[in-house]
Amino acid sequence: MQASAVTSLSEGAIPTGTGPEIAGPSPRHRTVGVMVGSGEGAVTMGGGAPIVVQSMTNTDTADIDGTVAQVAALARAGSEVVRITVDRDEAAAAVPKIRDRLERIGVHVPLIGDFHYIGHQLLSDHPACAEALAKYRINPGNVGFKEKKDRQFSTIIEQAIRYGKTVRIGANWGSLDEALLTHMMDENARSARPVDARAVMREAMVQSALLSAARAEEIGLPKNRIILSAKVSAVQDLIAVYREVARRSDYAIHLGLTEAGMGSKGIVAASAAIGVLLQEGIGDTIRYSLTPEPGGDRTIEVKVAQELLQTMGFRTFVPLVAACPGCGRTTSTTFQELARDIQNWISASMAEWKKSYPGVEGLNVAVMGCIVNGPGESKHADIGISLPGTGETPTAPVFIDGKKAMTLRGPTLAKDFEKVVTDYIERRFGAGTRNAAE
């Protein structure tokens, strides 16, 4: 068989980076910036600000101790705003106490109140709750029905205006405005060229969000205090709906796949949908709606959101640890254990490191398992170690800034490598802190 000719770079065998296929993410969709909260902990969503990570508690908000503990855990994990359910009088009465308790323990995260059906009543009856929250989340599909809808929607918006709060108008596939959907379905049936019901539902989602936002502005809520979301549970529907919301408006946008599910299914589905939209420049804040295991760690949804943003290159939260998956060359578990231990050690150290070593979250660490890709991957990282594979000499070369710096051996290899990483962090990221102190 005749070998094919090799094309030189000058002849265009490899794209140069100017074509759209490798140009990276699309420019961010231009939205109006929205400030959520005030003072320490306040964040901006939209307007070109970094994409914000948020989450939601699953405690009974009336359980003040439990809710404070979970909000604090979510905030410390990196959730920049936290949503809590406000579904009855007891929950509304607890909100200002939760806010005050959090501030006393040094957690200044903005709280979002999640309202359905009776939000107008709760906000009116509990002014301390209305004042304590940084943002209200309302669903145009259940804010009120028939002749009560406009009045109850207006009441919530007026409360937001009175207290200077932001509102997320969040349409949801599972509770779509029935009157709007029925009207649109009837119109579609009478059309000379009717479309399928799914397309009508997508359009109803878009219109529900946009019409409600327009009504909020008519009442007097400025655009820089409005955030939109339009959540569905199917990936392709979500992408289609948010593309239309972005095409037709410049409101700040909250992304999330509703009812994403448990475990890997939920993570994959939400990442697929949110990742596509972020790549297209759409989205100012994200939330992973993951179903936890019974009694499971709620902060996982925060960590996954951070990992998506960091993996895609939008933000940096913690040092990346690259590790090979293992193969027949790595029947020893040494490198797996070291990768796990280093990752856990870095995660546990980050809170203190961020105070002492500005920029440390940009560190790249590699823990590799054999001579095939180990040395090369380690050279590409800021600091990397290549462990011996099956049958290889029990030595572990360490590479720092692309050059071999030393070789580690013996039973204390993990602790020795931690010391090397610590020294590197101090040398590289501690200089700025020392200079500022001097």
Side-chain angles (χ1 to χ4, degrees):
M1 182 174 68
Q2 184 177 358
S4 60
V6 176
T7 306
S8 69
L9 289 176
S10 61
E11 293 173 301
I14 300 176
T16 61
T18 57
E21 69 277 12
I22 58 169
S26 299
R28 290 277 299 279
H29 169 59
R30 298 184 69 175
T31 59
V32 175
V34 177
M35 180 68 74
V36 179
S38 60
E40 188 175 354
V43 296
T44 300
M45 298 179 183
I51 298 163
V52 172
V53 172
Q54 62 175 277
S55 58
M56 184 175 184
T57 61
N58 61 357
T59 57
D60 178 355
T61 304
D63 173 6
I64 295 172
D65 291 343
T67 302
V68 166
Q70 192 172 89
V71 171
L74 290 166
R76 287 165 179 156
S79 185
E80 292 158 304
V81 296
V82 177
R83 183 156 42 116
I84 59 177
T85 298
V86 188
D87 59 346
R88 64 194 196 280
D89 289 311
E90 291 83 357
V95 168
K97 298 174 183 177
I98 292 167
R99 189 271 315 270
D100 293 345
R101 184 92 61 84
L102 287 166
E103 290 187 351
R104 284 200 297 272
I105 63 174
V107 178
H108 303 285
V109 64
L111 295 177
I112 305 167
D114 195 63
F115 294 97
H116 296 279
Y117 304 107
I118 59 170
H120 64 290
Q121 179 181 323
L122 293 173
L123 287 168
S124 298
D125 292 349
H126 297 273
C129 169
E131 186 279 327
L133 293 167
K135 183 170 75 169
Y136 311 153
R137 187 270 177 164
I138 59 175
N139 183 340
N142 61 34
V143 73
F145 302 99
K146 297 182 179 180
E147 71 278 357
K148 295 180 180 179
K149 178 180 178 181
D150 191 60
R151 183 173 70 252
Q152 293 177 181
F153 179 84
S154 297
T155 298
I156 295 173
I157 299 303
E158 287 163 0
Q159 293 292 325
I161 294 168
R162 177 177 303 158
Y163 293 103
K165 306 301 179 179
T166 295
V167 175
R168 170 160 73 94
I169 297 172
N172 192 291
W173 191 265
S175 51
L176 191 51
D177 185 327
E178 291 182 7
L180 175 64
L181 180 59
T182 299
H183 172 74
M184 292 181 64
M185 286 291 189
D186 290 344
E187 277 196 338
N188 183 61
R190 292 191 296 267
S191 172
R193 293 184 177 180
V195 297
D196 65 72
R198 198 173 196 89
V200 177
M201 290 189 73
R202 287 176 173 179
E203 177 62 19
M205 284 284 294
V206 175
Q207 289 201 26
S208 178
L210 294 179
L211 291 172
S212 298
R215 176 61 183 143
E217 286 197 72
E218 288 175 5
I219 296 167
L221 189 67
K223 181 174 283 189
N224 67 356
R225 296 228 300 272
I226 298 174
I227 296 169
L228 294 189
S229 67
K231 292 187 174 183
V232 300
S233 56
V235 171
Q236 296 299 337
D237 290 323
L238 190 89
I239 293 169
V241 167
Y242 271 106
R243 282 173 174 165
E244 278 302 297
V245 170
R247 186 178 71 82
R248 301 186 204 178
S249 75
D250 61 353
Y251 294 105
I253 291 177
H254 167 116
L255 293 184
L257 185 77
T258 192
E259 292 101 28
M262 295 184 75
S264 60
K265 182 269 176 187
I267 293 172
V268 170
S271 297
I274 296 172
V276 167
L277 291 165
L278 291 177
Q279 187 72 7
E280 294 180 3
I282 299 169
D284 301 299
T285 178
I286 66 173
R287 190 238 166 163
Y288 271 69
S289 300
L290 302 178
T291 304
E293 295 286 343
D297 184 359
R298 191 68 168 180
T299 65
I300 289 174
E301 68 177 46
V302 178
K303 296 170 185 174
V304 173
Q306 290 180 328
E307 287 170 4
L308 179 74
L309 292 176
Q310 184 153 343
T311 299
M312 294 188 71
F314 291 110
R315 292 188 63 182
T316 304
F317 297 97
V318 297
L320 289 175
V321 178
C324 70
C327 66
R329 290 179 176 269
T330 54
T331 54
S332 166
T333 61
T334 302
F335 89 94
Q336 297 166 330
E337 294 165 358
L338 182 59
R340 177 200 61 202
D341 293 346
I342 291 296
Q343 182 72 71
N344 291 341
W345 171 65
I346 286 175
S347 296
S349 303
M350 275 306 296
E352 188 59 38
W353 283 355
K354 281 186 176 181
K355 298 176 186 176
S356 304
Y357 306 113
V360 69
E361 58 270 18
L363 179 71
N364 287 314
V365 179
V367 180
M368 305 304 294
C370 75
I371 61 172
V372 175
N373 292 319
E377 287 285 354
S378 297
K379 288 178 182 178
H380 289 305
D382 295 317
I383 182 167
I385 186 168
S386 179
L387 297 173
T390 306
E392 295 175 9
T393 304
T395 60
V398 174
F399 297 84
I400 297 177
D401 294 331
K403 298 178 180 179
K404 183 177 177 181
M406 65 192 73
T407 298
L408 300 179
R409 299 178 178 86
T412 61
L413 191 146
K415 287 296 181 184
D416 292 342
F417 185 61
E418 285 183 11
K419 176 67 166 57
V420 172
V421 174
T422 301
D423 290 345
Y424 179 84
I425 290 172
E426 168 62 30
R427 186 170 65 254
R428 177 175 170 184
F429 300 100
T433 304
R434 289 193 299 273
N435 292 340
E438 293 170 359

